[in-house]
Amino acid sequence: MGAAHPQAGGGPPGGVVSALAIDPSTPATLYAGTEGSGVFKSTDGSASWQPTGAELVPSSTTVSIDIKPGSGQNTVNLKSRGEIPVAILSGETFDAMSIDPTTLTFGRTGDEDSLAFCNGSPGNVNADKLRDLMCFFNTEDAGFQAGDTECVLKGMTLESPPITGSDAVRVVR
């Protein structure tokens, strides 16, 4: 059985609590992550709260991506001055149309500012009857090196939670 916890005296002044942690060595010490106001600490079982100055970092949603949809090989030629097509696939719990395309980065680490454009109209790339987002990234700006085997896409949704996705890639000169 766990340690007794004092009766909760209310939440921190930061609004909706989206994460809560109890210090295992001092059960009266609580940490509460709030939406928009950061992390608060209570040392008296939630009777009072003090801001810690830390921000709550939203967890990332993993999304499925397909490099060069319809192609069996995801080969990227470093000499190409073209664009790499990347489909961001919707799933049962994720709508690719919720992505803010202006936040997308793609390449060797996922931090490369390589977006050329995204198609304005959704498509159904993988025939699952869900709307997928098709975007194109400049090969030269993606930062790939010969021998790389993975590519990474990062971005934000319109509601702000971050997304990440990866796919296998074969990079050649």
Side-chain angles (χ1 to χ4, degrees):
M1 194 172 233
H5 190 282
Q7 176 65 34
V16 176
V17 173
S18 48
L20 184 65
I22 300 171
D23 185 333
S25 62
T26 313
T29 300
L30 309 172
Y31 295 90
T34 64
E35 294 180 12
S37 295
V39 178
F40 289 80
K41 179 180 180 179
S42 173
T43 57
D44 54 14
S46 79
S48 64
W49 295 91
Q50 298 300 318
T52 65
E55 292 295 320
L56 188 63
V57 177
S59 61
S60 180
T61 298
T62 301
V63 299
S64 296
I65 64 172
D66 188 7
I67 308 308
K68 297 189 172 184
S71 170
Q73 292 189 347
N74 299 336
T75 302
V76 173
N77 186 334
L78 293 177
K79 294 179 183 175
S80 169
R81 297 203 189 298
E83 294 152 352
I84 303 167
V86 178
I88 305 168
L89 307 174
S90 290
E92 288 183 25
T93 60
F94 177 73
D95 180 5
M97 304 317 319
S98 70
I99 293 173
D100 177 356
T102 65
T103 66
L104 292 175
T105 55
F106 168 82
R108 185 171 203 250
T109 67
D111 295 322
E112 296 81 6
D113 187 14
S114 59
L115 180 65
F117 65 94
C118 293
N119 280 353
S121 58
N124 182 11
V125 174
N126 56 349
D128 63 359
K129 299 183 181 175
L130 299 174
R131 301 177 313 161
D132 304 315
L133 182 62
M134 191 70 183
C135 297
F136 297 82
F137 296 86
N138 294 312
T139 302
E140 290 180 298
D141 297 333
F144 288 114
Q145 297 177 6
D148 283 347
T149 59
E150 182 182 59
C151 58
V152 180
L153 174 118
K154 294 180 183 178
M156 303 286 279
T157 63
L158 296 170
E159 293 83 30
S160 294
I163 60 158
T164 58
S166 63
D167 196 3
V169 68
R170 187 175 138 241
V171 179
V172 297
R173 288 187 202 263

